[in-house]
Amino acid sequence: MTQMEDAKKGVITDEMLYIANREGISPDKLRKLVAKGYTVIFRNKVHDWVKPVAVGSGVRVKVNANIGTSRDIINVEEEIEKAKVAVKYGADTIMDLSTGGDLDEIRRKIMKAVDVPIGTVPIYQAAEEMLAKGKAIIEMTEDDMWRAIEKHFKDGVDFATVHVGVTKEVVEKMKRIKRVVGMVSRGGTFLAAWILHWNQENPLYKDYDYLLELAKEYDVVLSLGDGLRPGGLPDAGDELQIAELYTLGRLVKRARKAGVQTMVEGPGHVPIDQIPAQIKLMKVATDNAPVYVLGPLVTDIFPGYDHIAGAIGGAIAALNGADFLCYVTPAEHLGLPNVEHVREGVIAAKLAAHAVNLLRFEDEYRKDYEMSLARGNLNWARQFEIAFDKDKFIEIRKERPTKTEACSMCGDLCAIKIIQEMLTKKQTS
Amino acid sequence: MTQMEDAKKGVITDEMLYIANREGISPDKLRKLVAKGYTVIFRNKVHDWVKPVAVGSGVRVKVNANIGTSRDIINVEEEIEKAKVAVKYGADTIMDLSTGGDLDEIRRKIMKAVDVPIGTVPIYQAAEEMLAKGKAIIEMTEDDMWRAIEKHFKDGVDFATVHVGVTKEVVEKMKRIKRVVGMVSRGGTFLAAWILHWNQENPLYKDYDYLLELAKEYDVVLSLGDGLRPGGLPDAGDELQIAELYTLGRLVKRARKAGVQTMVEGPGHVPIDQIPAQIKLMKVATDNAPVYVLGPLVTDIFPGYDHIAGAIGGAIAALNGADFLCYVTPAEHLGLPNVEHVREGVIAAKLAAHAVNLLRFEDEYRKDYEMSLARGNLNWARQFEIAFDKDKFIEIRKERPTKTEACSMCGDLCAIKIIQEMLTKKQTS
């Protein structure tokens, strides 16, 4: 039984209880959302040591951090460190997108290193193994694809990106519809190239029922990948992107009938004024599937600062219904992130998510309230306690010290200090 | 004659021509906006070496960087370095908010070091000089205030914050209306404390006509300060803030009649879903005065990352009509920023402004288009050329190198590379 099947039958699972408690919502409300597919629970049946996490309607906006080796940079210890740092700074889930080295070993080590749900893109492994054998990616067989998927599911990954919307039809359309950046989804591209080469349908689309069977066996959440997401502002909202979205919408509904949990991935690169409409359309096209956005980035010309471009887009997306923010690091579009990039990326995405969560959850808002109170009282110890990143708090306070009870920006001219003294004086005189 | 007076008479000044050319808009359109007061031009009559800048309707969203010494940290060379770095990274204006050391000398040195318009808060100097004399801030006389203002205007500052909305009435109201953080505007607090102590009206409000005379003489843009801006999310949109806003709205209209240019300062700390309404209200209350926002910050619990909280709020504010973004640095709420904090703050604010400017100005959008094109062609030299921060671009590319023509994240698995090869192959075969 998947969480969704249980939910449909009216059963509140241990995972639902755990999550409802963590989120501060009623278990039955959560159950209903899971039954409808509006909310998903990450908890592969064999991933015993994971702390389940829910994504979707009625629960907090979550943050995912992508880590993993590449063919250029293979350093397993660094990846494990990235996973730990990401979780330390609040990443709710980790995706291991490794494409270099012993992928099975790396994935298993990362899964052992942290207790948050893990996502992967199994087709990366199928592709990497082709290259490792000196073959071309398009030489992979359908069996190679399914083997990678099944292996990941068996290993306990809690969610997996599957580019089921990259159909033969949309790939044909790609030949006619001009784009500025083209296709930027790796997994989507492998499948598009495969489709073009063999002139055959995407196996994951053609045999979607088999994919559903596998997902059901382990209760893996299928993250329906947007292989045709825009890779630059000029491509946002084009016919290819939206055509794929409606395919994903159909596949969400088939999965729900089968009792399989799904979410839908979204852009990417989107002009800031277009974000609300895009998210709304995703919710409409997929009947309120959980929306997992990759950014979106609101500008393309700030490489090195895409975590900020992504925080702006992510906050606006979340405000308009996006449920799950994939972080973006400062290294995006430049190279594989290092540990510090991961830290910066996670914090920026957590900030964006929190800006929206505080509108919806009393305990989230309470933190901002308490911080405001501490500031109003110039209570630095309390501010430190509440600060999201305590190390950074101390670092700046130490580097730019004050001789006063305020801070080195205003010192004795601190507005809070002056007005308090005046108001107190007047009231007691 | 001020720019506004000329504009009203149908005269297109040299400054209007210069700005219209820089903005790529028609000089007469700009003239009309300046005549109405919807757009202001920063150009003190005696600030000969300044490159004029316009803020308001019909022109690009601009970014200001606050620099200046404090009583704790007085390092004039560092402040000059901050000014230069801010301008290097695209700050359109600089505010010198120095409150430590020889304020006249510092201000003049900063003004000589850069050619962008300079803003100040003259009352800081009046307050600092009290403390330097061993007196209390509230001991300053009305003459002390006017002397500081006139000195700054004579020195050539192009815009100056004046807390004319901190009236006796609103200060009385402050005693009754509870706030979590209280008052966080330094200049506003000096005046509120003064009003409470002497039980007299704010001199800048009482003698607003005299202030207008002074501003007119030098054509200084009055930046009507929001002394009662919220200092934390819980205080956003409260009665004090909005009462002051409507006072400022009245004063904008009086200034326009006198031919004096004004803009209005806005929050501060605002929950993300409240920002559009706040900006709209500011435009309504002030009959479309240029809106100068200080952030707004969308969360309070991320000290060390307020440049990101401010970029999110600033982008949303700009999208909804804010014209001028005051940057926020990572040191905000912790201490006086250093040079690196200034750099990070400027870039985050420029990114936010650009995300909106690209929707409105073809040449701004063109940069994102060209970057997308360069990415689609894996043209790294061109990407480098367009990148906002070229040093950062190189730094990350060097630290995380690739052996391929792509980047170290995907290497041979680069989506763009694969799909291009496939599509080309298919088309040529």
Side-chain angles (χ1 to χ4, degrees):
Chain A
M1 294 279 262
T2 63
Q3 296 287 336
M4 189 183 215
E5 287 176 305
D6 274 326
K8 283 179 180 174
K9 292 199 173 144
V11 176
I12 293 173
T13 63
D14 287 348
E15 288 77 13
M16 292 175 205
L17 279 174
Y18 172 81
I19 289 166
N21 182 48
R22 225 169 128 178
E23 298 273 353
I25 61 173
S26 105
D28 200 57
K29 181 186 166 193
L30 177 62
R31 183 194 63 75
K32 282 178 184 149
L33 290 165
V34 172
K36 284 184 183 168
Y38 293 3
T39 305
V40 292
I41 291 177
F42 297 141
R43 170 49 161 110
N44 184 311
K45 287 182 189 174
V46 303
H47 194 182
D48 296 327
W49 62 98
V50 73
K51 288 188 179 146
V53 165
V55 158
S57 299
V59 296
R60 275 156 241 248
V61 175
K62 304 299 190 302
V63 165
N64 173 72
N66 289 339
I67 61 164
T69 59
S70 69
R71 291 173 60 83
D72 281 309
I73 304 176
I74 301 169
N75 180 341
V76 183
E77 291 319 305
E78 187 182 36
E79 295 310 323
I80 288 171
E81 178 66 13
K82 284 185 198 173
K84 288 182 178 169
V85 164
V87 172
K88 175 183 171 189
Y89 285 97
D92 299 288
T93 63
I94 297 282
M95 284 190 87
D96 170 23
L97 304 186
S98 290
T99 54
D102 182 338
L103 303 188
D104 290 332
E105 189 203 343
I106 295 168
R107 183 175 59 258
R108 289 163 194 164
K109 278 191 173 172
I110 288 171
M111 288 185 73
K112 286 290 176 196
V114 293
D115 60 5
V116 299
I118 301 291
T120 60
V121 188
I123 203 159
Y124 287 2
Q125 182 158 9
E128 207 284 327
E129 286 174 355
M130 286 298 115
L131 295 189
K133 287 183 211 160
K135 292 185 178 179
I137 292 169
I138 37 124
E139 291 183 72
M140 71 169 80
T141 64
E142 299 191 26
D143 272 354
D144 292 329
M145 297 183 202
W146 292 115
R147 204 160 38 236
I149 291 170
E150 193 165 5
K151 176 149 58 173
H152 285 224
F153 288 13
K154 267 192 183 162
D155 269 6
V157 308
D158 304 285
F159 61 103
T161 298
V162 285
H163 298 88
V164 287
V166 180
T167 59
K168 199 158 177 294
E169 186 188 351
V170 85
V171 170
E172 287 301 322
K173 209 175 250 188
M174 268 177 65
K175 293 181 185 169
R176 298 192 313 271
I177 295 176
K178 233 180 121 67
R179 274 192 157 183
V180 175
V181 195
M183 204 165 172
V184 296
S185 153
R186 264 184 292 184
T189 302
F190 302 158
L191 284 162
W194 192 94
I195 291 166
L196 282 167
H197 181 77
W198 300 104
N199 195 28
Q200 285 189 32
E201 185 53 279
N202 175 347
L204 308 186
Y205 178 74
K206 176 173 57 101
D207 296 322
Y208 185 61
D209 286 333
Y210 180 57
L211 182 58
L212 292 178
E213 264 178 52
L214 286 179
K216 193 164 166 173
E217 187 177 347
Y218 298 95
D219 202 1
V220 171
V221 174
L222 295 180
S223 188
L224 308 190
D226 52 341
L228 287 153
R229 68 173 172 272
L233 298 187
D235 294 336
D238 78 348
E239 191 177 340
L240 297 170
Q241 183 196 342
I242 305 306
E244 182 189 44
L245 169 62
Y246 278 85
T247 301
L248 299 183
R250 274 187 281 113
L251 297 174
V252 163
K253 288 159 207 165
R254 276 173 63 188
R256 286 178 184 172
K257 273 191 195 141
V260 171
Q261 305 191 93
T262 51
M263 60 185 176
V264 175
E265 297 184 11
H269 299 243
V270 182
I272 189 169
D273 62 338
Q274 208 187 112
I275 296 171
Q278 285 230 6
I279 302 299
K280 184 70 189 164
L281 196 65
M282 288 183 74
K283 288 285 184 182
V284 170
T286 66
D287 181 26
N288 298 300
V291 166
Y292 178 23
V293 286
L294 316 173
L297 303 180
V298 294
T299 169
D300 297 321
I301 66 165
F302 283 81
Y305 303 88
D306 278 342
H307 60 308
I308 300 178
I312 294 173
I316 297 173
L319 185 62
N320 287 280
D323 305 289
F324 195 22
L325 307 182
C326 187
Y327 86 160
V328 180
T329 80
E332 187 73 16
H333 297 108
L334 296 171
L336 194 74
N338 62 24
V339 174
E340 175 58 17
H341 296 142
V342 167
R343 199 184 66 81
E344 289 184 56
V346 169
I347 291 174
K350 286 294 285 186
L351 191 160
H354 177 71
V356 174
N357 285 332
L358 72 87
L359 306 175
R360 301 173 185 168
F361 291 86
E362 179 60 27
D363 59 328
E364 300 279 353
Y365 173 72
R366 195 76 209 167
K367 296 175 197 168
D368 295 79
Y369 183 89
E370 292 288 334
M371 179 63 95
S372 296
L373 206 59
R375 283 182 175 155
N377 296 325
L378 291 177
N379 183 340
W380 293 96
R382 183 79 183 119
Q383 288 178 54
F384 169 78
E385 274 174 24
I386 304 165
F388 186 84
D389 182 354
K390 293 172 179 49
D391 298 336
K392 179 68 89 177
F393 186 98
I394 289 292
E395 178 195 319
I396 298 179
R397 288 281 293 172
K398 274 201 179 150
E399 201 213 319
R400 308 294 281 176
T402 179
K403 293 179 287 283
T404 70
E405 60 187 304
C407 86
S408 62
M409 183 178 274
C410 304
D412 290 328
L413 298 174
C414 173
I416 289 168
K417 211 176 121 182
I418 291 170
I419 201 72
Q420 269 180 359
E421 283 166 8
M422 279 310 297
L423 287 172
T424 319
K425 196 172 137 192
K426 282 284 142 182
Q427 277 156 10
T428 55
S429 67
Chain B
M1 293 279 262
T2 63
Q3 296 287 336
M4 189 183 216
E5 287 175 304
D6 274 327
K8 283 179 179 174
K9 292 201 173 144
V11 176
I12 293 172
T13 63
D14 287 349
E15 288 77 13
M16 292 175 204
L17 279 175
Y18 172 81
I19 289 166
N21 181 48
R22 225 169 129 179
E23 298 273 353
I25 61 172
S26 105
D28 200 57
K29 181 185 166 193
L30 177 62
R31 182 193 63 74
K32 283 178 183 148
L33 290 165
V34 172
K36 284 184 183 167
Y38 292 5
T39 305
V40 292
I41 291 177
F42 298 141
R43 169 52 161 107
N44 184 312
K45 287 182 189 174
V46 303
H47 194 182
D48 296 327
W49 62 97
V50 73
K51 287 188 179 146
V53 165
V55 158
S57 300
V59 296
R60 275 155 241 247
V61 175
K62 304 299 190 303
V63 165
N64 173 72
N66 289 339
I67 61 165
T69 58
S70 69
R71 289 173 61 83
D72 281 309
I73 304 176
I74 301 169
N75 180 341
V76 183
E77 291 318 305
E78 187 183 36
E79 296 309 323
I80 289 171
E81 179 65 14
K82 284 185 197 172
K84 288 182 178 168
V85 164
V87 172
K88 175 184 170 188
Y89 285 96
D92 299 288
T93 63
I94 297 282
M95 283 190 88
D96 170 23
L97 304 185
S98 290
T99 54
D102 182 339
L103 303 187
D104 291 331
E105 189 203 343
I106 295 168
R107 183 175 60 258
R108 289 163 193 161
K109 278 191 172 171
I110 289 172
M111 289 185 72
K112 286 291 176 194
V114 293
D115 60 6
V116 299
I118 301 291
T120 60
V121 188
I123 203 159
Y124 287 2
Q125 182 157 9
E128 207 284 328
E129 286 174 356
M130 286 298 116
L131 296 188
K133 286 183 211 161
K135 293 186 179 180
I137 291 169
I138 36 125
E139 291 183 71
M140 71 170 80
T141 64
E142 299 192 26
D143 272 354
D144 291 329
M145 297 183 202
W146 291 114
R147 203 161 38 237
I149 291 170
E150 192 165 5
K151 177 149 59 172
H152 284 224
F153 288 13
K154 266 192 185 163
D155 268 6
V157 308
D158 305 285
F159 60 103
T161 297
V162 285
H163 299 88
V164 286
V166 180
T167 59
K168 198 157 177 292
E169 186 188 350
V170 85
V171 170
E172 287 301 321
K173 209 174 251 188
M174 268 176 66
K175 294 182 185 168
R176 298 192 314 270
I177 295 176
K178 233 180 120 66
R179 275 192 157 183
V180 176
V181 195
M183 204 166 173
V184 296
S185 153
R186 263 184 292 183
T189 302
F190 302 158
L191 284 161
W194 192 93
I195 291 166
L196 282 167
H197 181 76
W198 299 103
N199 195 27
Q200 285 189 31
E201 185 53 279
N202 176 346
L204 309 186
Y205 178 74
K206 175 173 59 100
D207 296 322
Y208 186 61
D209 286 332
Y210 179 57
L211 182 59
L212 293 179
E213 263 178 54
L214 286 179
K216 194 164 166 173
E217 187 177 347
Y218 298 95
D219 202 0
V220 171
V221 175
L222 295 180
S223 188
L224 308 190
D226 53 341
L228 287 153
R229 67 173 173 272
L233 298 187
D235 294 336
D238 78 348
E239 191 177 341
L240 296 170
Q241 183 196 343
I242 305 306
E244 182 189 44
L245 170 62
Y246 278 85
T247 302
L248 299 183
R250 274 188 281 113
L251 297 174
V252 163
K253 288 159 206 164
R254 276 173 64 188
R256 286 178 183 171
K257 273 191 195 142
V260 171
Q261 304 191 93
T262 51
M263 59 185 176
V264 175
E265 297 185 10
H269 298 243
V270 182
I272 189 169
D273 62 338
Q274 208 188 110
I275 296 172
Q278 285 230 7
I279 302 299
K280 184 69 189 164
L281 196 64
M282 288 182 75
K283 288 286 183 181
V284 169
T286 66
D287 181 26
N288 298 300
V291 166
Y292 178 23
V293 286
L294 315 173
L297 303 180
V298 294
T299 168
D300 297 322
I301 66 166
F302 283 81
Y305 303 88
D306 278 342
H307 60 308
I308 300 178
I312 294 172
I316 296 173
L319 185 62
N320 287 280
D323 305 289
F324 195 22
L325 307 182
C326 188
Y327 86 160
V328 180
T329 80
E332 188 73 17
H333 297 108
L334 296 171
L336 194 73
N338 62 23
V339 174
E340 176 57 18
H341 296 142
V342 167
R343 199 184 66 81
E344 289 184 57
V346 169
I347 291 174
K350 286 294 286 186
L351 191 160
H354 177 71
V356 174
N357 285 332
L358 71 86
L359 307 175
R360 301 172 184 167
F361 290 86
E362 178 60 27
D363 59 328
E364 300 279 353
Y365 173 73
R366 195 77 210 168
K367 296 175 197 168
D368 295 79
Y369 182 90
E370 292 288 334
M371 179 63 95
S372 296
L373 205 60
R375 283 182 175 155
N377 295 325
L378 291 178
N379 183 341
W380 293 96
R382 183 78 184 119
Q383 289 178 53
F384 169 78
E385 274 174 24
I386 304 165
F388 186 84
D389 182 354
K390 293 172 180 50
D391 298 336
K392 179 68 89 175
F393 186 98
I394 289 293
E395 178 195 318
I396 298 179
R397 288 281 293 171
K398 274 201 179 150
E399 201 214 319
R400 309 293 282 176
T402 179
K403 294 179 288 284
T404 69
E405 60 188 303
C407 86
S408 62
M409 184 178 274
C410 304
D412 289 328
L413 298 174
C414 173
I416 288 168
K417 211 177 120 181
I418 291 170
I419 201 72
Q420 268 179 0
E421 283 166 8
M422 279 309 298
L423 287 172
T424 319
K425 196 172 137 192
K426 283 283 141 182
Q427 276 156 11
T428 55
S429 67

